[in-house]
Amino acid sequence: MKIKKYITIKKFLFLALCLTLTFCAKPKAEEVQQKEDCKLQYTKAAEKWTDALPIGNGSLGAMVFGGVSQEHIQFNEETLWRGQPHDYAHEGASVYLDEIRTLLATGKQLEAQKMAQDHFMSDPIKQIHYQPFGDVYIDFENHDNFTNYKRELDLNTAITTVTYSVNDVRYKREVLSSFPDQIIAVNLTASKEKVLEFDLWLDAIHEDKSVLTSGNSQTLVVKVKEGVLRGISTLKIKTDGHISNANGKLQITEASTATVYLTAATNYIDYKDVSGQPEKIVPETLAKIEYLDYQDVKSKHISDYQALYNRFELSFGDNGKSENPTDQRILDFSITPNDPQLVALYVAYARYLTISSSRPGTKPATLQGIWNDKLTPPWFSSYTTNINLEMNYWPVETYNLSECHEPLFDLIEDLSITGAKVAKVHYNADGWIVHHNVDIWRGAAPVNASHHGIWLGGAAWLSSHIWEHYLFTQDKAFLEKRYPLMRNAALFYSQFLYKDPNTGYLISTPSNSPEIGGLVAGPTMDHQLIRALFRTTIEASKILNTDQKFTSSLEPMIAKIAPNKIGKHGQLQEWMEDKDNPESHHRHVSHLWAVHPGNEINYQDTPDLMKAAKQSLEYRGDNGTGWSLAWKINFWSRFKDGDHAYKLLHKLLSPAVKPNGKEGGGSYLNLFDAHPPFQIDGNFGGASGILEMILQSHLGYIEVLPALPSALPEGKVSGIVARGGFELSFEWENSALKTVTVTSKKGKSCKLVYGDKTIEFETEAGQTYTFDDALNKK
């Protein structure tokens, strides 16, 4: 009997051990969701918009303030813009092209700028604004005296939560934006029955608006000023309490739980069609969740979100500071940058913002993602293509969110159409072109002012994202589908390039080095972009075995394009003339494009140019607006100087609001990037720079820990992606690699580099290869 009992106990302990090892080896989603270092958390409500926490599903975005007596949720729908279908091309502009070029070639810059301003700019001169949609307000009476307040955004679930106590009752609110159901959900609960009471209503800052309350729902109708778009939003509430309405508000009493569902739509279909029917779309969307409870909606939302988010994980080791409120962590980091997990949180937050603002089928992320509370937002909250739009997508392939790149490709497809008209009307050329700014109507003409609006690199830079997506995914079908976009951009430049009468080189003119130096002939950045486009178009045509007749014509042109030059200060010249000012600390460092995100200038092939580029960056200095700091982090990572990159990360993760009350480059309390004001590109560019510290693959091989800062001596990453179709996991300790695994998605040859160690090996698709710190196969 004792022996039998002993065996039973032994079996029980063995099973318990197995279960323990199973759960420890691979935590369940519910357990992962509780990790404090994957949360933004605060001990007080948002006082202003840049304190509020963002949620989004690609098309519906909101900022949640987390107030106690009053909750405010300001929301957006991605297609609500001013304006109407319009191509902006200026008929007759090409007549003036040769004269503008001649003026620039003879040193008459001001005359060239005036002529271009008068005859070459878009019609009209300005583009159109992205608009906020509306606001949800929830008032709670007698909640002024509260305790134990906590507000957080859980990046593992994409849910923002507010909890607090009034007397002996614990109140909780969860807010999410669901991609599967295309709704925003607000769930309210209380720890006691029938004590939840509040007023609920919709509003908007639009002049032309109306609100209709009926039963358990309220509908907001808005029409934009100076435009053809209208929007409809409806909220519905489900509750076990009583619902009534008075004074334009829904009133809920004696409830234990309540859930508010909100959706919105506009009459926008695409950049040339505004015949949509939001009055049908909105009720149909809400009807689909009529018989679902909140837990169903929440479960679907988490499952959908985590299918993307859980592919990647990064840790730099936790020294205990992750338990502190996020605003305190930002402040502490600005004083002593010793919070490694805040750096990892920054990357996790960028991934969250990517998923929240750029899903397949939606529009790409604007300068502010999908979040905006102003009728006249900064820079119209549009798409600025001279860096900012592209920066939004720099890390997307590396941190394993490849399909979130798709909205950008859809935008490029549209621009290839509107940009074809601009190419013909402004330059009498075939192919397509886009200048420095784009709105929802896909305007491709030069806007605002000639001294910065006439910039010719947009089509080339955007096309580089098509090639990058192919390099990471090795998706030949994708390349075949999108190749015409690259090809026709290259066609434009092949006809646009102009033989400089002073040097004999092919140059880009008229153009600009964003956004410095005015209208010029031959900015270095343009030539780097065009060479890169020609080379990748040639390579793509070889892979696809097509279009060789056209691409063979590009090959001899590459050598004729004005080359990169080293100037009298040892700098990489920004222009054809050696006129760089070493005292200039301008935020744009455009002539270093070939260092990052390009790869023409590198230590392996062009060490002298790399040295000159580094000198240029040193002259520009370490200060900058948020996105400029982010770009410099990427540069210093490519220069293999991790400590200098971390120095700029220190600045990027410092409070945007300075002790004197003024704003500068850095981070707001909700970790939004500050230009200032808020621009989301710095969040994505900063994340890209952090990833460049630990992995680079732009030169045909994969380099692990190429620019590791001394401040990040330990860490681990899984699910990080390299060009060539490889996914890696690796960890390091005491600033030295411990182990690395490489999973081959496409069966390509792999070259792996760590320090002075290199290994080359053939792979099979779907197979994983593990190596030790000396790159010996395990």
Side-chain angles (χ1 to χ4, degrees):
M1 191 73 176
K2 285 183 180 179
I3 293 173
K4 188 174 183 180
K5 185 175 182 180
Y6 171 75
I7 293 172
T8 303
I9 293 171
K10 189 174 180 180
K11 186 183 292 186
F12 171 80
L13 290 173
F14 175 75
L15 289 170
L17 178 62
C18 289
L19 287 169
T20 300
L21 289 172
T22 300
F23 284 110
C24 289
K26 190 173 183 180
K28 293 189 298 183
E30 301 92 282
E31 292 171 336
V32 171
Q33 292 165 12
Q34 301 307 312
K35 285 166 56 176
E36 292 293 322
D37 61 351
C38 290
K39 294 179 181 179
L40 280 67
Q41 51 193 6
Y42 306 85
T43 57
K44 60 181 180 179
E47 295 179 3
K48 52 187 177 181
W49 193 83
T50 48
D51 298 345
L53 294 172
I55 57 169
N57 64 12
S59 56
L60 273 179
M63 298 295 288
V64 183
F65 283 68
V68 177
S69 295
Q70 183 180 82
E71 173 65 281
H72 177 199
I73 301 172
Q74 184 272 318
F75 67 95
N76 296 81
E77 199 279 341
E78 64 171 351
T79 63
L80 192 68
W81 290 62
R82 288 187 185 181
Q84 59 189 353
H86 190 74
D87 63 25
Y88 294 98
H90 189 148
E91 294 293 340
S94 64
V95 172
Y96 298 89
L97 178 62
D98 285 343
E99 192 169 353
I100 293 169
R101 284 173 162 170
T102 299
L103 288 170
L104 290 173
T106 54
K108 298 178 181 178
Q109 185 190 53
L110 294 181
E111 291 93 329
Q113 286 181 178
K114 186 178 186 309
M115 179 171 285
Q117 188 70 29
D118 293 342
H119 302 290
F120 207 78
M121 303 304 291
S122 66
D123 182 19
I125 196 74
K126 296 284 187 183
Q127 288 188 340
I128 299 302
H129 313 65
Y130 179 43
Q131 298 286 272
F133 199 113
D135 302 88
V136 178
Y137 292 100
I138 310 174
D139 275 358
F140 301 90
E141 193 173 351
N142 300 321
H143 279 211
D144 297 326
N145 297 319
F146 60 91
T147 58
N148 300 320
Y149 178 91
K150 188 171 185 180
R151 174 171 66 104
E152 64 182 32
L153 171 61
D154 188 339
L155 301 182
N156 290 287
T157 60
I159 296 173
T160 181
T161 305
V162 173
T163 54
Y164 60 90
S165 298
V166 176
N167 297 324
D168 59 345
V169 180
R170 190 70 174 160
Y171 293 91
K172 182 177 182 181
R173 295 196 297 273
E174 291 184 343
V175 189
L176 59 85
S177 185
S178 165
F179 181 76
D181 290 318
Q182 288 298 300
I183 52 94
I184 291 171
V186 185
N187 183 246
L188 307 96
T189 57
S191 61
K192 285 189 176 182
E193 293 186 357
K194 299 185 181 299
V195 297
L196 191 58
E197 301 192 345
F198 57 90
D199 291 350
L200 169 70
W201 74 98
L202 283 167
D203 201 357
I205 60 174
H206 293 274
E207 293 178 12
D208 192 344
K209 64 182 177 183
S210 63
V211 178
L212 174 66
T213 306
S214 176
N216 68 336
S217 69
Q218 192 172 81
T219 296
L220 168 70
V221 180
V222 300
K223 186 178 184 307
V224 300
K225 187 178 181 180
E226 301 171 1
V228 298
L229 293 179
R230 68 185 191 282
I232 295 177
S233 177
T234 296
L235 64 76
K236 272 191 173 183
I237 186 162
K238 292 182 179 182
T239 180
D240 59 356
H242 301 297
I243 304 174
S244 59
N245 64 77
N247 303 316
K249 300 177 181 179
L250 291 168
Q251 297 178 323
I252 288 79
T253 57
E254 296 184 349
S256 304
T257 183
T259 304
V260 180
Y261 296 112
L262 172 78
T263 194
T266 77
N267 56 309
Y268 180 93
I269 291 180
D270 59 39
Y271 69 95
K272 38 188 192 191
D273 187 351
V274 292
S275 63
Q277 296 180 296
E279 56 278 354
K280 288 187 177 181
I281 296 170
V282 167
E284 286 174 357
T285 301
L286 290 172
K288 291 175 183 177
I289 60 167
E290 181 69 29
Y291 300 105
L292 299 179
D293 62 26
Y294 172 69
Q295 293 304 321
D296 294 328
V297 171
K298 179 180 176 180
S299 178
K300 273 201 294 180
H301 159 74
I302 292 175
S303 178
D304 166 77
Y305 171 78
Q306 290 186 343
L308 296 171
Y309 183 80
N310 283 358
R311 297 172 182 170
F312 174 100
E313 188 171 2
L314 173 66
S315 172
F316 290 122
D318 191 350
N319 60 5
K321 294 186 178 182
S322 62
E323 296 181 2
N324 296 335
T326 305
D327 49 346
Q328 185 63 48
R329 293 176 74 183
I330 297 169
L331 178 60
D332 291 346
F333 194 86
S334 70
I335 300 167
T336 305
N338 180 27
D339 186 351
Q341 206 58 359
L342 180 63
V343 179
L345 180 69
Y346 197 81
V347 176
Y349 188 49
R351 297 185 74 247
Y352 167 81
L353 293 173
T354 292
I355 298 168
S356 300
S357 64
S358 187
R359 290 289 202 107
T362 71
K363 306 296 175 284
T366 73
L367 271 173
Q368 295 175 285
I370 51 173
W371 300 279
N372 163 48
D373 65 332
K374 294 178 174 61
L375 293 173
T376 306
W379 303 282
F380 298 176
S381 192
S382 60
Y383 304 104
T384 302
T385 59
N386 65 17
I387 182 171
N388 313 95
L389 173 60
E390 292 89 350
M391 185 181 280
N392 285 355
Y393 291 89
W394 282 356
V396 69
E397 301 287 344
T398 307
Y399 59 31
N400 216 331
L401 293 175
S402 188
E403 57 269 74
C404 293
H405 217 158
E406 290 181 20
L408 184 65
F409 306 137
D410 294 337
L411 171 65
I412 298 169
E413 194 80 52
D414 290 347
L415 290 173
S416 73
I417 299 170
T418 59
K421 180 172 183 181
V422 172
K424 186 61 70 177
V425 169
H426 285 250
Y427 301 98
N428 196 27
D430 298 315
W432 67 279
I433 183 59
V434 59
H435 294 79
H436 94 289
N437 232 52
V438 176
D439 61 14
I440 200 169
W441 309 113
R442 305 310 188 232
V447 297
N448 299 341
S450 63
H451 70 275
H452 69 266
I454 301 177
W455 172 73
L456 270 294
W461 197 338
L462 288 170
S463 294
S464 74
H465 281 258
I466 296 170
W467 181 245
E468 286 291 302
H469 181 76
Y470 169 73
L471 290 179
F472 277 95
T473 64
Q474 298 294 300
D475 185 343
K476 193 173 177 180
F478 164 84
L479 185 63
E480 186 172 21
K481 177 182 178 182
R482 302 294 191 179
Y483 170 76
L485 301 177
M486 297 172 61
R487 189 254 189 210
N488 289 329
L491 175 62
F492 168 80
Y493 292 111
S494 71
Q495 296 180 9
F496 164 76
L497 284 170
Y498 172 77
K499 188 174 181 178
D500 180 28
N502 299 315
T503 65
Y505 285 122
L506 294 177
I507 64 170
S508 170
T509 180
S511 194
N512 166 258
S513 188
E515 295 167 4
I516 180 174
L519 194 65
V520 297
T524 295
M525 180 195 210
D526 280 17
H527 302 150
Q528 293 172 350
L529 284 162
I530 295 167
R531 276 194 298 270
L533 175 63
F534 283 5
R535 286 170 178 148
T536 56
T537 303
I538 292 166
E539 185 64 23
S541 75
K542 291 177 181 177
I543 292 167
L544 299 172
N545 193 26
T546 187
D547 205 26
Q548 261 95 33
K549 182 179 180 181
F550 168 68
T551 56
S552 64
S553 70
L554 300 180
E555 192 84 55
M557 294 183 74
I558 294 174
K560 296 176 183 178
I561 297 172
N564 295 301
K565 293 161 93 176
I566 299 173
K568 60 189 174 186
H569 303 292
Q571 88 285 6
L572 184 69
Q573 287 183 201
E574 189 162 1
W575 297 278
M576 294 279 289
E577 304 85 1
D578 189 359
K579 62 180 184 179
D580 297 77
N581 177 7
E583 301 301 317
S584 173
H585 304 303
H586 198 275
R587 64 190 179 278
H588 282 267
V589 200
S590 304
H591 53 306
L592 304 195
W593 187 91
V595 176
H596 182 280
N599 63 5
E600 180 184 40
I601 297 177
N602 59 77
Y603 283 127
Q604 177 179 288
D605 303 312
T606 56
D608 290 343
L609 289 174
M610 198 68 164
K611 181 181 177 182
K614 188 175 181 181
Q615 181 64 76
S616 289
L617 190 58
E618 287 173 344
Y619 281 140
R620 284 291 161 89
D622 289 340
N623 292 321
T625 59
W627 67 261
S628 179
L629 290 170
W631 198 3
K632 291 174 182 178
I633 294 168
N634 286 271
F635 285 140
W636 285 112
S637 294
R638 288 276 172 99
F639 290 136
K640 308 291 182 72
D641 192 338
D643 285 340
H644 203 139
Y646 194 83
K647 180 182 176 182
L648 294 174
L649 182 61
H650 177 199
K651 291 176 178 286
L652 187 64
L653 272 168
S654 294
V657 181
K658 310 308 176 187
N660 61 7
K662 292 184 178 180
E663 290 189 359
S667 297
Y668 291 110
L669 297 188
N670 63 2
L671 271 182
F672 268 172
D673 167 69
H675 174 74
F678 161 54
Q679 283 188 199
I680 204 167
D681 42 23
N683 288 99
F684 298 129
S688 170
I690 293 166
L691 298 180
E692 287 280 336
M693 294 174 183
I694 63 172
L695 185 78
Q696 295 180 18
S697 62
H698 58 289
L699 295 178
Y701 56 85
I702 302 169
E703 187 169 7
V704 179
L705 303 180
L708 184 68
S710 56
L712 302 174
E714 65 177 88
K716 58 183 177 180
V717 64
S718 62
I720 192 168
V721 181
R723 295 168 182 84
F726 300 104
E727 186 172 311
L728 288 85
S729 298
F730 53 91
E731 60 181 301
W732 64 97
E733 193 174 86
N734 297 321
S735 298
L737 182 68
K738 288 181 65 179
T739 182
V740 55
T741 65
V742 179
T743 299
S744 175
K745 296 181 178 181
K746 296 293 182 176
K748 300 291 183 179
S749 298
C750 182
K751 181 178 180 181
L752 190 63
V753 175
Y754 169 61
D756 60 357
K757 304 172 186 69
T758 300
I759 185 170
E760 297 185 56
F761 56 100
E762 298 300 317
T763 74
E764 293 182 24
Q767 294 299 305
T768 297
Y769 306 86
T770 303
F771 304 90
D772 63 16
D773 59 338
L775 297 189
N776 296 313
K777 199 169 181 180
K778 295 175 73 174

